[in-house]
Amino acid sequence: MLNTKLVTGQNDSLIIANKQFKSRLMLGTGKYKSLDDAKQSILASECEILTVAVRRAQSSTIQSMGSLITGLDWANLWLMPNTAGCQTAQEAIRVAFLGQEIVKNLGFEDNKFTKLEVIPDPKYLLPDGLGTLLAAEYLISKDFTILPYINADPILAKQLEMTGCATVMPLGSPIGSGQGLQNLANIKIIIENSNVPVIVDAGIGSPSQAAQAMELGAAGVLANTAVAKARNSPQMAEAMKLGVIAGRAAYNAGQMKVNSTASPSSPTLGLVT
């Protein structure tokens, strides 16, 4: 078993809205081949935050969440409903309230987390910045802890932070594409300017891409399709865990300066001439 304290430091916790998490990997719960596959992947990832899409049919959502919850150690897991499938701010607000009711009915009364998604674009699934901002403002006023999914837009990220969002979650590339960090420059700016955790969400297709995001200084990574659609999902979940740990350790260690010329790694004194 990898001793993550030795790798990342004794007190290197992720803190969101005053809640502390050991893992910096979040997992989505859709697209898995089976419920058992999802559970085994969650266990292998050692993640602590799970995001679950809230559907309009409340009874089926409760049933699916209930099935997922059975057999997992919820002393070490945090359920985060999301508003996936909502095309407007109004829809997202309604679904956010539904998600909170479902979470309460399942026994998590102190959990106010909601992943906010407002996505009117059916082809590339790009989020609506204005709709997200409007929905975030309203939900925060109603005591929600909002984690918004956004384009890699540094201005919008700062606006959402100032509104009171607990994190910002810029996409690396389109949802489910596996293209990695196609918005690298903007993600760097968001991380540099942010006073809340930056979670890279969407487009992460491999552990190396997760590590790259963490090396930039991202506070965490959310993955779903890369794990769910892998040939061996639990094994990929563990690989993602290790990629996030490695990237965070590299960021904490401090990367060497990039040079335009070579620099010998062996001493040059005493060479035979």
Side-chain angles (χ1 to χ4, degrees):
M1 179 67 68
L2 179 67
N3 188 335
T4 57
K5 288 186 177 180
L6 293 178
V7 175
T8 59
Q10 292 290 327
N11 299 306
D12 189 43
S13 298
L14 170 62
I15 299 175
I16 300 175
N18 296 319
K19 183 165 179 63
Q20 184 172 295
F21 301 95
K22 296 177 183 178
S23 174
R24 292 177 178 271
L25 174 64
M26 304 178 184
L27 275 191
T29 53
K31 302 182 180 179
Y32 286 90
K33 293 179 278 293
S34 67
L35 188 60
D36 183 65
D37 207 40
K39 289 183 178 181
Q40 292 303 315
S41 298
I42 291 164
L43 293 173
S45 74
E46 296 186 4
C47 73
E48 291 173 283
I49 298 178
L50 292 177
T51 181
V52 180
V54 177
R55 303 302 179 190
R56 288 171 176 79
Q58 184 172 357
S59 59
S60 64
T61 304
I62 292 176
Q63 183 178 3
S64 63
M65 283 189 179
S67 299
L68 180 67
I69 284 170
T70 304
L72 292 176
D73 180 10
W74 286 94
N76 297 308
L77 287 171
W78 193 250
L79 189 64
M80 180 167 65
N82 70 57
T83 63
C86 294
Q87 297 185 345
T88 67
Q90 292 75 17
E91 285 181 346
I93 289 168
R94 287 197 298 271
V95 171
F97 275 96
L98 174 60
Q100 282 297 299
E101 285 302 312
I102 292 172
V103 167
K104 287 179 182 178
N105 289 338
L106 292 171
F108 306 107
E109 294 188 6
D110 62 338
N111 184 349
K112 303 289 187 179
F113 280 37
T114 296
K115 184 188 174 194
L116 179 61
E117 300 183 23
V118 182
I119 302 177
D121 167 30
K123 183 175 182 180
Y124 295 104
L125 300 178
L126 298 175
D128 174 4
L130 179 57
T132 301
L133 183 60
L134 291 172
E137 288 176 339
Y138 181 81
L139 291 169
I140 290 167
S141 74
K142 299 299 181 182
D143 199 31
F144 282 72
T145 299
I146 296 299
L147 294 81
Y149 169 63
I150 60 170
N151 280 302
D153 180 342
I155 303 301
L156 176 61
K158 181 55 67 174
Q159 289 171 331
L160 286 162
E161 177 187 322
M162 294 174 67
T163 296
C165 288
T167 69
V168 290
M169 304 181 72
L171 59 85
S173 52
I175 293 173
S177 70
Q179 295 177 25
L181 304 184
Q182 296 297 315
N183 302 299
L184 193 58
N186 278 11
I187 290 174
K188 285 182 179 179
I189 295 171
I190 292 172
I191 292 170
E192 178 185 347
N193 291 338
S194 183
N195 295 311
V196 295
V198 177
I199 311 297
V200 175
D201 178 14
I204 297 295
S206 68
S208 62
Q209 293 169 358
Q212 183 186 20
M214 298 304 296
E215 286 174 12
L216 295 177
V221 165
L222 194 154
N224 187 177
T225 307
V227 175
K229 292 300 183 182
R231 185 175 64 252
N232 185 323
S233 293
Q235 189 171 353
M236 182 59 75
E238 183 177 20
M240 283 290 183
K241 174 191 74 175
L242 296 174
V244 168
I245 290 171
R248 180 65 180 180
Y251 173 75
N252 286 339
Q255 186 176 333
M256 64 168 283
K257 180 182 177 181
V258 177
N259 298 304
S260 59
T261 60
S263 175
S265 55
S266 301
T268 56
L269 294 176
L271 290 177
V272 176
T273 60

